[in-house]
Amino acid sequence: MFYHDRKLQYRVRVDKPNPQFARLLQQAIGGIEGEMRVCLQYLFQAWNSRGPVKYKHLLLETGTEEISHIEMLATAVALNLEGASASLKDEIVGANPIVEQVMGGMDPRHFLSAGLGAMAADANGVPFNGSWVVSSNNLAADMYANVMAETTGRVLATRLWEATDDPGMKDMLSFLIARDTMHQNQWLAVLEELGGLNNALPIPNSFPQDQEVQEFAYSFVTTNIYKDDMAAGRWSSGPSMDGKSHFQMVPGAPLGDEPVLGPPLPQAHAQVEQMTGSSGGGIINKIKDAL
């Protein structure tokens, strides 16, 4: 259950409205690096959580905080669009109604669909995609996914910070960047509490490794036809990151057979030549042989 406070988590101030920057901010709302993604990711991980309840509470609290970040960014989008209203009206009755704003970088749907408000979409107007939300119910796997989400989100926020000279927007983004710093660290702290690399990896650590094809569990397979060591690094020699084996570099080589598929089904209506020329004589030949 959720409750709301009428006040924002942090101040949002726009000194000079900028419809083009409003479009850029949409990426931080509904883009793959955005707040909708982390909000729903953490909440679904919490709702699906099994095991020690403290991890569920951690995820619930952080997912709920991310709702407030969506609110802040939506407010910032709306404030940046406020100065666009009069100019849009002038253009709509002009000779070339919306072209100038589109070419200048504004998303016309901010006016046409949202009435100078934010949308659940990215900077190109593409709607948020729920398939980006990771909730595997493997705690370590989810934590690594969360670290990735926060790192790419922080990269985006820093690029947005660079893209504006509005003091209010820089201030808001500096807050969001700081929260990304904390969230990266807290998810890594969970991984440390789970035993770090030595205990958590390979994920899932509940699968018996003696069931793996052992010779490939820690081998870097090079598919480079020159057979040199241009791809060599920490991952190709020395102890593995989980401390359970040693890395090695091995040349890629085919270990299976050439794949052979059966003939087409008559009901799938391939060409006759496919029916008769398939491996094993084809369906038609087999029918003839049976007769």
Side-chain angles (χ1 to χ4, degrees):
M1 186 172 181
F2 297 90
Y3 298 90
H4 78 275
D5 191 300
R6 290 191 295 270
K7 297 182 179 179
L8 296 172
Q9 184 187 17
Y10 190 78
R11 57 183 174 266
V12 176
R13 186 184 82 250
V14 175
D15 295 338
K16 183 180 179 181
N18 184 338
Q20 289 78 21
F21 192 63
R23 179 175 182 175
L24 299 185
L25 287 174
Q26 282 290 158
Q27 193 67 21
I29 295 176
I32 192 171
E33 313 93 340
E35 301 288 352
M36 288 184 67
R37 188 258 180 93
V38 290
C39 171
L40 291 174
Q41 184 156 304
Y42 304 158
L43 290 178
F44 270 98
Q45 288 177 8
W47 296 329
N48 296 335
S49 179
R50 300 175 188 273
V53 72
K54 65 179 179 179
Y55 299 120
K56 177 174 184 174
H57 291 315
L58 168 64
L59 288 160
L60 278 173
E61 299 221 15
T62 308
T64 304
E65 181 190 354
E66 301 294 2
I67 299 175
S68 71
H69 296 172
I70 301 172
E71 181 184 24
M72 289 169 57
L73 287 162
T75 301
V77 167
L79 291 175
N80 273 288
L81 291 170
E82 282 188 354
S85 180
S87 62
L88 271 177
K89 289 177 182 176
D90 291 341
E91 288 177 19
I92 286 172
V93 298
N96 218 344
I98 205 84
V99 174
E100 184 180 346
Q101 285 284 13
V102 174
M103 295 304 292
M106 179 182 178
D107 187 344
R109 287 195 60 217
H110 273 152
F111 174 73
L112 298 174
S113 300
L116 303 183
M119 299 178 293
D122 67 12
N124 289 323
V126 179
F128 174 76
N129 189 333
S131 67
W132 298 333
V133 172
V134 176
S135 177
S136 70
N137 217 343
N138 178 292
L139 186 58
D142 286 346
M143 290 302 108
Y144 277 110
N146 293 351
V147 171
M148 185 280 292
E150 290 289 343
T151 55
T152 54
R154 192 171 188 272
V155 169
L156 172 63
T158 60
R159 290 172 178 169
L160 288 168
W161 188 92
E162 295 286 357
T164 182
D165 58 2
D166 187 292
M169 287 293 87
K170 280 190 176 290
D171 180 49
M172 179 196 75
L173 290 165
S174 293
F175 171 79
L176 294 176
I177 291 167
R179 295 310 297 150
D180 289 339
T181 298
M182 173 57 193
H183 293 159
Q184 288 181 36
N185 277 275
Q186 73 181 48
W187 304 136
L188 289 169
V190 173
L191 287 164
E192 180 182 272
E193 191 171 273
L194 295 176
L197 295 177
N198 286 354
N199 189 61
L201 297 181
I203 298 169
N205 61 5
S206 55
F207 185 83
Q209 282 199 267
D210 59 8
Q211 296 300 309
E212 300 177 11
V213 180
Q214 296 283 302
E215 63 187 288
F216 289 102
Y218 296 94
S219 296
F220 174 76
V221 176
T222 173
T223 54
N224 178 6
I225 62 172
Y226 298 106
K227 308 299 182 184
D228 55 30
D229 60 354
M230 292 297 290
R234 174 66 182 84
W235 51 88
S236 60
S237 63
S240 61
M241 303 308 296
D242 58 15
K244 297 179 173 65
S245 188
H246 284 77
F247 291 133
Q248 61 175 337
M249 178 183 283
V250 299
L255 301 177
D257 299 320
E258 184 177 350
V260 177
L261 303 181
L265 291 174
Q267 297 90 337
H269 295 290
Q271 292 298 94
V272 170
E273 292 79 3
Q274 291 176 261
M275 301 285 194
T276 58
S278 298
S279 175
I283 287 178
I284 291 178
N285 285 348
K286 289 182 179 180
I287 293 174
K288 290 180 179 178
D289 291 343
L291 294 175

